[in-house]
């Protein structure tokens, strides 16, 4: 019998509440684990603190998201190689099988030039950890589009051993999520489940509230007996209170599980 796909909760989905609330709500709502977003929150930067939260709430850390956002460019180190290496080391410490990483920024020329070789060396040293490169999106400056990633916001243009597919980023880039998943093929190892509507807007909506083919993608993966993992990565900043935030995250979990199970019935 095929093992069910784990559905994780990104700890950034509870922002502006702290990382600890991500573990708490994951346990309360019945998620299979969390994706630890290494963020400005000091707890998220401390693997031993994350391990304590994992034990306290009985929630597994199923993935680690490296600190590669603009606001986390100095978390752990200003050096992107150090941040990537420490993310993999944190995943090993937490027994998390997946690390999510963005393509290099275009101004990180040396890092971008050596990115693939660095990934290969980390894969050789940490063979049990999958480093999954995430699709991103261009930025709109008036009528112009700026591509702040090298070699591109679409990682399939270059080719990597493992990918994370983010549906909100597909919406923001105007990309066809199903076509991108097809290009990623067997190297698609991780999903950021969220929704979006218009190019240029990275909304990270609750799945089913936007225009992305969230249910269709989950159904296709389930039919194919896909054995990766899914993380709910939605924005609840405007929820206003814990009750509404929990309701959004519970709805997202139901959507994920129903989408993954529909193809099996």
């Amino acid at each position: 019998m095929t093992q069910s796909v784990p559905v994780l909760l990104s700890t950034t989905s509870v922002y502006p509440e702290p990382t600890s609330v991500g573990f708490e709500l994951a346990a309360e709502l019945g998620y299979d684990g969390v994706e630890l977003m290494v963020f400005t929150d000091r707890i998220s930067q401390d693997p031993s603190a994350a391990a304590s939260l994992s034990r306290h709430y009985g929630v597994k850390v199923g993935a680690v998201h490296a600190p590669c956002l603009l606001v986390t460019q100095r978390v752990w180190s200003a050096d992107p190689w150090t941040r990537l290496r420490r993310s993999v080391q944190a995943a090993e410490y937490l027994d998390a099988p997946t690390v999510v990483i963005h393509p290099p920024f275009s101004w990180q020329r040396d890092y971008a030039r050596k990115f693939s070789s660095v990934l290969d060396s980390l894969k050789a040293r940490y063979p049990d950890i999958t480093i999954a490169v995430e699709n991103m999106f261009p930025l709109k400056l008036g009528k112009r589009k700026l591509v702040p990633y090298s070699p591109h916001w679409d990682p399939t243009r270059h080719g990597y051993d493992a990918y994370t597919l983010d549906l909100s980023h597909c919406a923001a880039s105007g990309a066809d999520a199903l076509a991108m998943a097809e290009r990623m093929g067997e190297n698609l190892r991780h999903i950021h489940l969220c929704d979006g509507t218009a190019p240029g807007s990275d909304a990270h909506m609750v799945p089913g509230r936007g225009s992305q083919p969230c249910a269709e993608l989950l159904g296709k993966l389930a039919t194919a007996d896909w054995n990766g993992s899914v993380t709910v990565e939605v924005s609840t900043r405007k929820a206003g209170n814990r009750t509404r935030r929990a309701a959004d995250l519970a709805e997202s979990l139901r959507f994920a599980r129903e989408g993954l199970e529909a193809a099996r019935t």
Side-chain angles (χ1 to χ4, degrees):
M1 182 176 180
T2 304
Q3 186 176 1
S4 60
V5 173
V7 181
L8 314 174
L9 176 63
S10 171
T11 54
T12 197
S13 291
V14 305
Y15 183 84
E17 294 196 80
T19 296
S20 58
V21 174
F23 282 84
E24 180 183 352
L25 286 180
E28 179 183 313
L29 299 173
Y31 278 82
D32 298 311
V34 300
E35 177 176 318
L36 177 66
M37 168 69 84
V38 181
F39 200 56
T40 54
D41 178 345
R42 287 185 179 273
I43 293 294
S44 72
Q45 302 169 20
D46 184 347
S48 64
S52 295
L53 288 170
S54 177
R55 289 190 298 270
H56 178 74
Y57 288 107
V59 172
K60 175 181 171 58
V61 179
V64 172
H65 194 310
C68 39
L69 300 171
L70 284 173
V71 296
T72 57
Q73 290 300 289
R74 294 193 176 276
V75 168
W76 284 341
S77 171
D79 175 22
W81 286 320
T82 300
R83 294 198 301 273
L84 174 54
R85 185 181 68 252
R86 287 190 62 172
S87 299
V88 177
Q89 290 170 340
E92 182 185 50
Y93 178 81
L94 293 164
D95 198 26
T98 304
V99 169
V100 177
I101 184 72
H102 295 178
F105 285 117
S106 54
W107 57 83
Q108 296 171 320
R109 291 187 178 88
D110 190 46
Y111 177 56
R113 187 169 58 252
K114 299 176 182 177
F115 186 59
S116 290
S117 60
V118 169
L119 292 181
D120 288 341
S121 64
L122 287 169
K123 181 181 176 182
R125 186 171 180 181
Y126 303 93
D128 295 331
I129 296 174
T130 297
I131 306 173
V133 184
E134 183 176 2
N135 63 299
M136 298 305 292
F137 53 92
L139 302 178
K140 291 181 69 175
L141 295 176
K143 294 183 178 180
R144 295 174 54 232
K145 283 187 177 181
L146 170 68
V147 178
Y149 299 98
S150 179
H152 201 265
W153 56 263
D154 178 355
T156 67
R157 294 280 191 96
H158 180 274
Y160 297 100
D161 290 338
Y163 298 105
T164 294
L165 177 62
D166 185 301
L167 285 112
S168 178
H169 294 174
C170 287
S173 64
D176 183 324
L178 297 177
M180 184 174 286
E182 196 71 28
R183 291 196 301 276
M184 290 177 173
E186 293 182 355
N187 292 344
L188 174 57
R189 303 306 309 143
H190 193 63
I191 300 289
H192 277 170
L193 183 62
C194 40
D195 217 329
T197 52
S201 175
D202 183 25
H204 282 269
M205 300 164 67
V206 169
R209 297 184 185 177
S211 59
Q212 291 301 294
C214 299
E216 187 176 354
L217 175 64
L218 293 175
K220 284 180 177 291
L221 294 173
T223 300
D225 284 336
W226 183 69
N227 63 352
S229 53
V230 171
T231 290
V232 166
E233 189 182 75
V234 299
S235 174
T236 63
R237 284 183 304 155
K238 297 180 180 179
N241 57 55
R242 175 75 64 85
T243 300
R244 291 177 181 170
R245 175 166 292 116
D248 282 348
L249 299 179
E251 180 182 335
S252 299
L253 177 60
R254 284 195 302 273
F255 186 102
R257 292 214 169 120
E258 288 172 4
L260 290 166
E261 289 302 319
R264 301 180 189 277
T265 59

